Amino acid sequence: MTAVGIQFDYTPFVLEQEVIRNFSESVGYNGPGVPPTIYSAALYRGERNLYTFLDELGLGEAHVLHVEQQFETLREPAAGETLRMTSRVAGDEQKKKWRILKVETSIRTDAEEVARANMTYFCREGGDAE
């Protein structure tokens, strides 16, 4: 069964100044504004996060390898804004023992889309990867 078209809304993520500072320090970012990879942190926070999404896709017990991630920033969000993210499975393909998922994510504030993400996951049920 294919997961193409399944959508998932994440817990909204507030860009608090302390969160931005901590994330900047953890990735070694010392530039102005928000680090361009802050969106990856947002995917893992809150009650509805990337792990919840994988569980809903039936992959909670699978070995999931995150092999590719790309962000396109349309406008840098500002401290204090709330990010709202929706992922959609754009591709679901079986290659030998691996299931390959391509996921597109829209990242918005209340006013507009500020970024897009494309991610690829290799997923395998059960034991050792071959």
PDB file of all heavy atoms in Angstrom, residues 89-116:
ATOM      1  N   VAL A  89       3.548  13.056   1.880  1.00  0.00           N
ATOM      2  CA  VAL A  89       4.340  12.017   1.225  1.00  0.00           C
ATOM      3  C   VAL A  89       4.169  12.196  -0.285  1.00  0.00           C
ATOM      4  O   VAL A  89       3.062  12.078  -0.820  1.00  0.00           O
ATOM      5  CB  VAL A  89       3.919  10.604   1.665  1.00  0.00           C
ATOM      6  CG1 VAL A  89       4.727   9.548   0.917  1.00  0.00           C
ATOM      7  CG2 VAL A  89       4.079  10.438   3.171  1.00  0.00           C
ATOM      8  N   ALA A  90       5.274  12.517  -0.955  1.00  0.00           N
ATOM      9  CA  ALA A  90       5.244  12.764  -2.401  1.00  0.00           C
ATOM     10  C   ALA A  90       5.695  11.540  -3.202  1.00  0.00           C
ATOM     11  O   ALA A  90       5.411  11.445  -4.395  1.00  0.00           O
ATOM     12  CB  ALA A  90       6.135  13.962  -2.743  1.00  0.00           C
ATOM     13  N   GLY A  91       6.386  10.621  -2.543  1.00  0.00           N
ATOM     14  CA  GLY A  91       6.835   9.419  -3.226  1.00  0.00           C
ATOM     15  C   GLY A  91       6.971   8.271  -2.255  1.00  0.00           C
ATOM     16  O   GLY A  91       7.366   8.471  -1.103  1.00  0.00           O
ATOM     17  N   ASP A  92       6.627   7.079  -2.698  1.00  0.00           N
ATOM     18  CA  ASP A  92       6.700   5.879  -1.870  1.00  0.00           C
ATOM     19  C   ASP A  92       7.017   4.724  -2.812  1.00  0.00           C
ATOM     20  O   ASP A  92       6.176   4.300  -3.602  1.00  0.00           O
ATOM     21  CB  ASP A  92       5.365   5.657  -1.149  1.00  0.00           C
ATOM     22  CG  ASP A  92       5.393   4.473  -0.193  1.00  0.00           C
ATOM     23  OD1 ASP A  92       6.385   3.710  -0.181  1.00  0.00           O
ATOM     24  OD2 ASP A  92       4.403   4.324   0.536  1.00  0.00           O
ATOM     25  N   GLU A  93       8.261   4.242  -2.744  1.00  0.00           N
ATOM     26  CA  GLU A  93       8.718   3.249  -3.698  1.00  0.00           C
ATOM     27  C   GLU A  93       9.444   2.120  -2.974  1.00  0.00           C
ATOM     28  O   GLU A  93      10.174   2.361  -2.014  1.00  0.00           O
ATOM     29  CB  GLU A  93       9.673   3.950  -4.674  1.00  0.00           C
ATOM     30  CG  GLU A  93      10.143   3.132  -5.813  1.00  0.00           C
ATOM     31  CD  GLU A  93      11.031   3.948  -6.751  1.00  0.00           C
ATOM     32  OE1 GLU A  93      11.172   5.163  -6.577  1.00  0.00           O
ATOM     33  OE2 GLU A  93      11.601   3.333  -7.654  1.00  0.00           O
ATOM     34  N   GLN A  94       9.253   0.904  -3.437  1.00  0.00           N
ATOM     35  CA  GLN A  94       9.937  -0.253  -2.869  1.00  0.00           C
ATOM     36  C   GLN A  94      11.108  -0.598  -3.771  1.00  0.00           C
ATOM     37  O   GLN A  94      10.944  -0.779  -4.968  1.00  0.00           O
ATOM     38  CB  GLN A  94       8.972  -1.436  -2.772  1.00  0.00           C
ATOM     39  CG  GLN A  94       9.490  -2.590  -1.968  1.00  0.00           C
ATOM     40  CD  GLN A  94       9.520  -2.316  -0.481  1.00  0.00           C
ATOM     41  OE1 GLN A  94       8.642  -1.658   0.057  1.00  0.00           O
ATOM     42  NE2 GLN A  94      10.536  -2.813   0.186  1.00  0.00           N
ATOM     43  N   LYS A  95      12.304  -0.652  -3.188  1.00  0.00           N
ATOM     44  CA  LYS A  95      13.519  -1.056  -3.918  1.00  0.00           C
ATOM     45  C   LYS A  95      14.185  -2.165  -3.123  1.00  0.00           C
ATOM     46  O   LYS A  95      14.730  -1.907  -2.056  1.00  0.00           O
ATOM     47  CB  LYS A  95      14.502   0.113  -4.054  1.00  0.00           C
ATOM     48  CG  LYS A  95      14.049   1.228  -4.932  1.00  0.00           C
ATOM     49  CD  LYS A  95      14.351   0.906  -6.358  1.00  0.00           C
ATOM     50  CE  LYS A  95      14.080   2.155  -7.193  1.00  0.00           C
ATOM     51  NZ  LYS A  95      14.524   2.035  -8.527  1.00  0.00           N
ATOM     52  N   LYS A  96      14.085  -3.378  -3.627  1.00  0.00           N
ATOM     53  CA  LYS A  96      14.576  -4.556  -2.917  1.00  0.00           C
ATOM     54  C   LYS A  96      13.987  -4.576  -1.517  1.00  0.00           C
ATOM     55  O   LYS A  96      12.778  -4.590  -1.369  1.00  0.00           O
ATOM     56  CB  LYS A  96      16.098  -4.612  -2.942  1.00  0.00           C
ATOM     57  CG  LYS A  96      16.645  -4.759  -4.344  1.00  0.00           C
ATOM     58  CD  LYS A  96      18.107  -5.002  -4.365  1.00  0.00           C
ATOM     59  CE  LYS A  96      18.558  -5.138  -5.817  1.00  0.00           C
ATOM     60  NZ  LYS A  96      19.950  -5.445  -5.921  1.00  0.00           N
ATOM     61  N   LYS A  97      14.818  -4.538  -0.482  1.00  0.00           N
ATOM     62  CA  LYS A  97      14.297  -4.627   0.886  1.00  0.00           C
ATOM     63  C   LYS A  97      14.041  -3.257   1.497  1.00  0.00           C
ATOM     64  O   LYS A  97      13.699  -3.168   2.675  1.00  0.00           O
ATOM     65  CB  LYS A  97      15.258  -5.418   1.756  1.00  0.00           C
ATOM     66  CG  LYS A  97      15.378  -6.856   1.320  1.00  0.00           C
ATOM     67  CD  LYS A  97      16.272  -7.627   2.240  1.00  0.00           C
ATOM     68  CE  LYS A  97      16.337  -9.081   1.770  1.00  0.00           C
ATOM     69  NZ  LYS A  97      17.096  -9.909   2.688  1.00  0.00           N
ATOM     70  N   TRP A  98      14.227  -2.212   0.744  1.00  0.00           N
ATOM     71  CA  TRP A  98      14.063  -0.847   1.255  1.00  0.00           C
ATOM     72  C   TRP A  98      12.833  -0.181   0.687  1.00  0.00           C
ATOM     73  O   TRP A  98      12.533  -0.283  -0.495  1.00  0.00           O
ATOM     74  CB  TRP A  98      15.288   0.001   0.904  1.00  0.00           C
ATOM     75  CG  TRP A  98      16.507  -0.388   1.658  1.00  0.00           C
ATOM     76  CD1 TRP A  98      17.497  -1.235   1.222  1.00  0.00           C
ATOM     77  CD2 TRP A  98      16.871   0.023   2.955  1.00  0.00           C
ATOM     78  NE1 TRP A  98      18.449  -1.367   2.189  1.00  0.00           N
ATOM     79  CE2 TRP A  98      18.091  -0.597   3.271  1.00  0.00           C
ATOM     80  CE3 TRP A  98      16.278   0.856   3.898  1.00  0.00           C
ATOM     81  CZ2 TRP A  98      18.730  -0.405   4.487  1.00  0.00           C
ATOM     82  CZ3 TRP A  98      16.930   1.038   5.106  1.00  0.00           C
ATOM     83  CH2 TRP A  98      18.138   0.410   5.388  1.00  0.00           C
ATOM     84  N   ARG A  99      12.145   0.529   1.542  1.00  0.00           N
ATOM     85  CA  ARG A  99      11.033   1.388   1.131  1.00  0.00           C
ATOM     86  C   ARG A  99      11.585   2.815   1.136  1.00  0.00           C
ATOM     87  O   ARG A  99      12.164   3.272   2.118  1.00  0.00           O
ATOM     88  CB  ARG A  99       9.894   1.265   2.136  1.00  0.00           C
ATOM     89  CG  ARG A  99       8.672   2.073   1.781  1.00  0.00           C
ATOM     90  CD  ARG A  99       7.590   1.790   2.806  1.00  0.00           C
ATOM     91  NE  ARG A  99       6.396   2.554   2.538  1.00  0.00           N
ATOM     92  CZ  ARG A  99       5.367   2.606   3.351  1.00  0.00           C
ATOM     93  NH1 ARG A  99       5.393   1.928   4.498  1.00  0.00           N
ATOM     94  NH2 ARG A  99       4.315   3.309   3.054  1.00  0.00           N
ATOM     95  N   ILE A 100      11.432   3.525   0.037  1.00  0.00           N
ATOM     96  CA  ILE A 100      11.985   4.871  -0.094  1.00  0.00           C
ATOM     97  C   ILE A 100      10.832   5.868  -0.083  1.00  0.00           C
ATOM     98  O   ILE A 100       9.968   5.838  -0.964  1.00  0.00           O
ATOM     99  CB  ILE A 100      12.810   5.016  -1.387  1.00  0.00           C
ATOM    100  CG1 ILE A 100      13.920   3.966  -1.401  1.00  0.00           C
ATOM    101  CG2 ILE A 100      13.364   6.432  -1.506  1.00  0.00           C
ATOM    102  CD1 ILE A 100      14.600   3.807  -2.735  1.00  0.00           C
ATOM    103  N   LEU A 101      10.826   6.722   0.945  1.00  0.00           N
ATOM    104  CA  LEU A 101       9.799   7.759   1.063  1.00  0.00           C
ATOM    105  C   LEU A 101      10.386   9.108   0.741  1.00  0.00           C
ATOM    106  O   LEU A 101      11.445   9.470   1.250  1.00  0.00           O
ATOM    107  CB  LEU A 101       9.224   7.800   2.480  1.00  0.00           C
ATOM    108  CG  LEU A 101       8.409   6.628   2.953  1.00  0.00           C
ATOM    109  CD1 LEU A 101       7.955   6.859   4.394  1.00  0.00           C
ATOM    110  CD2 LEU A 101       7.210   6.400   2.065  1.00  0.00           C
ATOM    111  N   LYS A 102       9.691   9.849  -0.090  1.00  0.00           N
ATOM    112  CA  LYS A 102      10.052  11.242  -0.374  1.00  0.00           C
ATOM    113  C   LYS A 102       8.960  12.097   0.243  1.00  0.00           C
ATOM    114  O   LYS A 102       7.774  11.880  -0.015  1.00  0.00           O
ATOM    115  CB  LYS A 102      10.160  11.481  -1.867  1.00  0.00           C
ATOM    116  CG  LYS A 102      11.273  10.656  -2.485  1.00  0.00           C
ATOM    117  CD  LYS A 102      11.783  11.243  -3.750  1.00  0.00           C
ATOM    118  CE  LYS A 102      12.901  10.375  -4.296  1.00  0.00           C
ATOM    119  NZ  LYS A 102      14.196  10.857  -3.983  1.00  0.00           N
ATOM    120  N   VAL A 103       9.375  13.042   1.082  1.00  0.00           N
ATOM    121  CA  VAL A 103       8.446  13.853   1.849  1.00  0.00           C
ATOM    122  C   VAL A 103       8.693  15.329   1.558  1.00  0.00           C
ATOM    123  O   VAL A 103       9.840  15.793   1.608  1.00  0.00           O
ATOM    124  CB  VAL A 103       8.601  13.578   3.365  1.00  0.00           C
ATOM    125  CG1 VAL A 103       7.683  14.466   4.181  1.00  0.00           C
ATOM    126  CG2 VAL A 103       8.329  12.099   3.663  1.00  0.00           C
ATOM    127  N   GLU A 104       7.626  16.041   1.245  1.00  0.00           N
ATOM    128  CA  GLU A 104       7.681  17.488   1.032  1.00  0.00           C
ATOM    129  C   GLU A 104       7.008  18.164   2.217  1.00  0.00           C
ATOM    130  O   GLU A 104       5.944  17.731   2.654  1.00  0.00           O
ATOM    131  CB  GLU A 104       6.946  17.876  -0.255  1.00  0.00           C
ATOM    132  CG  GLU A 104       7.541  17.259  -1.499  1.00  0.00           C
ATOM    133  CD  GLU A 104       6.694  17.494  -2.736  1.00  0.00           C
ATOM    134  OE1 GLU A 104       5.499  17.881  -2.618  1.00  0.00           O
ATOM    135  OE2 GLU A 104       7.215  17.278  -3.840  1.00  0.00           O
ATOM    136  N   THR A 105       7.628  19.232   2.717  1.00  0.00           N
ATOM    137  CA  THR A 105       7.079  19.935   3.869  1.00  0.00           C
ATOM    138  C   THR A 105       6.966  21.421   3.566  1.00  0.00           C
ATOM    139  O   THR A 105       7.917  22.041   3.082  1.00  0.00           O
ATOM    140  CB  THR A 105       7.969  19.727   5.114  1.00  0.00           C
ATOM    141  OG1 THR A 105       8.054  18.321   5.366  1.00  0.00           O
ATOM    142  CG2 THR A 105       7.397  20.422   6.336  1.00  0.00           C
ATOM    143  N   SER A 106       5.799  21.973   3.843  1.00  0.00           N
ATOM    144  CA  SER A 106       5.556  23.404   3.745  1.00  0.00           C
ATOM    145  C   SER A 106       5.700  23.997   5.143  1.00  0.00           C
ATOM    146  O   SER A 106       5.114  23.480   6.095  1.00  0.00           O
ATOM    147  CB  SER A 106       4.143  23.661   3.207  1.00  0.00           C
ATOM    148  OG  SER A 106       3.834  25.034   3.289  1.00  0.00           O
ATOM    149  N   ILE A 107       6.477  25.070   5.242  1.00  0.00           N
ATOM    150  CA  ILE A 107       6.718  25.733   6.525  1.00  0.00           C
ATOM    151  C   ILE A 107       6.181  27.147   6.402  1.00  0.00           C
ATOM    152  O   ILE A 107       6.635  27.915   5.557  1.00  0.00           O
ATOM    153  CB  ILE A 107       8.217  25.728   6.870  1.00  0.00           C
ATOM    154  CG1 ILE A 107       8.736  24.285   6.847  1.00  0.00           C
ATOM    155  CG2 ILE A 107       8.463  26.418   8.209  1.00  0.00           C
ATOM    156  CD1 ILE A 107      10.224  24.157   6.717  1.00  0.00           C
ATOM    157  N   ARG A 108       5.176  27.463   7.261  1.00  0.00           N
ATOM    158  CA  ARG A 108       4.469  28.730   7.151  1.00  0.00           C
ATOM    159  C   ARG A 108       4.448  29.466   8.490  1.00  0.00           C
ATOM    160  O   ARG A 108       4.563  28.859   9.545  1.00  0.00           O
ATOM    161  CB  ARG A 108       3.004  28.499   6.766  1.00  0.00           C
ATOM    162  CG  ARG A 108       2.770  27.608   5.597  1.00  0.00           C
ATOM    163  CD  ARG A 108       1.304  27.180   5.425  1.00  0.00           C
ATOM    164  NE  ARG A 108       0.661  26.528   6.551  1.00  0.00           N
ATOM    165  CZ  ARG A 108       0.914  25.299   6.973  1.00  0.00           C
ATOM    166  NH1 ARG A 108       1.836  24.576   6.387  1.00  0.00           N
ATOM    167  NH2 ARG A 108       0.248  24.781   7.981  1.00  0.00           N
ATOM    168  N   THR A 109       4.250  30.778   8.386  1.00  0.00           N
ATOM    169  CA  THR A 109       3.879  31.566   9.554  1.00  0.00           C
ATOM    170  C   THR A 109       2.381  31.787   9.405  1.00  0.00           C
ATOM    171  O   THR A 109       1.759  31.264   8.477  1.00  0.00           O
ATOM    172  CB  THR A 109       4.612  32.922   9.586  1.00  0.00           C
ATOM    173  OG1 THR A 109       4.229  33.681   8.435  1.00  0.00           O
ATOM    174  CG2 THR A 109       6.128  32.731   9.606  1.00  0.00           C
ATOM    175  N   ASP A 110       1.795  32.606  10.268  1.00  0.00           N
ATOM    176  CA  ASP A 110       0.372  32.902  10.110  1.00  0.00           C
ATOM    177  C   ASP A 110       0.102  33.667   8.824  1.00  0.00           C
ATOM    178  O   ASP A 110      -0.996  33.615   8.282  1.00  0.00           O
ATOM    179  CB  ASP A 110      -0.147  33.687  11.314  1.00  0.00           C
ATOM    180  CG  ASP A 110      -0.202  32.818  12.564  1.00  0.00           C
ATOM    181  OD1 ASP A 110      -0.366  31.588  12.428  1.00  0.00           O
ATOM    182  OD2 ASP A 110      -0.077  33.370  13.667  1.00  0.00           O
ATOM    183  N   ALA A 111       1.121  34.368   8.320  1.00  0.00           N
ATOM    184  CA  ALA A 111       0.927  35.228   7.155  1.00  0.00           C
ATOM    185  C   ALA A 111       1.253  34.564   5.823  1.00  0.00           C
ATOM    186  O   ALA A 111       0.605  34.845   4.816  1.00  0.00           O
ATOM    187  CB  ALA A 111       1.782  36.495   7.306  1.00  0.00           C
ATOM    188  N   GLU A 112       2.279  33.678   5.795  1.00  0.00           N
ATOM    189  CA  GLU A 112       2.748  33.184   4.496  1.00  0.00           C
ATOM    190  C   GLU A 112       3.675  31.988   4.644  1.00  0.00           C
ATOM    191  O   GLU A 112       4.170  31.702   5.730  1.00  0.00           O
ATOM    192  CB  GLU A 112       3.494  34.302   3.768  1.00  0.00           C
ATOM    193  CG  GLU A 112       4.754  34.735   4.512  1.00  0.00           C
ATOM    194  CD  GLU A 112       5.374  36.002   3.975  1.00  0.00           C
ATOM    195  OE1 GLU A 112       5.221  36.294   2.798  1.00  0.00           O
ATOM    196  OE2 GLU A 112       6.018  36.692   4.777  1.00  0.00           O
ATOM    197  N   GLU A 113       3.920  31.323   3.514  1.00  0.00           N
ATOM    198  CA  GLU A 113       4.912  30.264   3.481  1.00  0.00           C
ATOM    199  C   GLU A 113       6.301  30.905   3.533  1.00  0.00           C
ATOM    200  O   GLU A 113       6.578  31.839   2.790  1.00  0.00           O
ATOM    201  CB  GLU A 113       4.754  29.428   2.204  1.00  0.00           C
ATOM    202  CG  GLU A 113       5.657  28.218   2.168  1.00  0.00           C
ATOM    203  CD  GLU A 113       5.432  27.338   0.957  1.00  0.00           C
ATOM    204  OE1 GLU A 113       5.253  27.883  -0.159  1.00  0.00           O
ATOM    205  OE2 GLU A 113       5.445  26.118   1.118  1.00  0.00           O
ATOM    206  N   VAL A 114       7.157  30.410   4.437  1.00  0.00           N
ATOM    207  CA  VAL A 114       8.498  30.980   4.567  1.00  0.00           C
ATOM    208  C   VAL A 114       9.584  30.027   4.082  1.00  0.00           C
ATOM    209  O   VAL A 114      10.703  30.456   3.793  1.00  0.00           O
ATOM    210  CB  VAL A 114       8.797  31.433   6.014  1.00  0.00           C
ATOM    211  CG1 VAL A 114       7.896  32.593   6.409  1.00  0.00           C
ATOM    212  CG2 VAL A 114       8.690  30.285   6.999  1.00  0.00           C
ATOM    213  N   ALA A 115       9.262  28.735   4.003  1.00  0.00           N
ATOM    214  CA  ALA A 115      10.261  27.768   3.551  1.00  0.00           C
ATOM    215  C   ALA A 115       9.583  26.487   3.086  1.00  0.00           C
ATOM    216  O   ALA A 115       8.414  26.243   3.382  1.00  0.00           O
ATOM    217  CB  ALA A 115      11.248  27.454   4.679  1.00  0.00           C
ATOM    218  N   ARG A 116      10.371  25.686   2.367  1.00  0.00           N
ATOM    219  CA  ARG A 116       9.936  24.364   1.926  1.00  0.00           C
ATOM    220  C   ARG A 116      11.073  23.394   2.217  1.00  0.00           C
ATOM    221  O   ARG A 116      12.243  23.771   2.143  1.00  0.00           O
ATOM    222  CB  ARG A 116       9.660  24.348   0.426  1.00  0.00           C
ATOM    223  CG  ARG A 116       8.535  25.244   0.007  1.00  0.00           C
ATOM    224  CD  ARG A 116       8.313  25.193  -1.504  1.00  0.00           C
ATOM    225  NE  ARG A 116       7.393  26.247  -1.873  1.00  0.00           N
ATOM    226  CZ  ARG A 116       7.646  27.170  -2.776  1.00  0.00           C
ATOM    227  NH1 ARG A 116       8.785  27.173  -3.443  1.00  0.00           N
ATOM    228  NH2 ARG A 116       6.747  28.096  -3.047  1.00  0.00           N
TER     229      ARG A 116
END
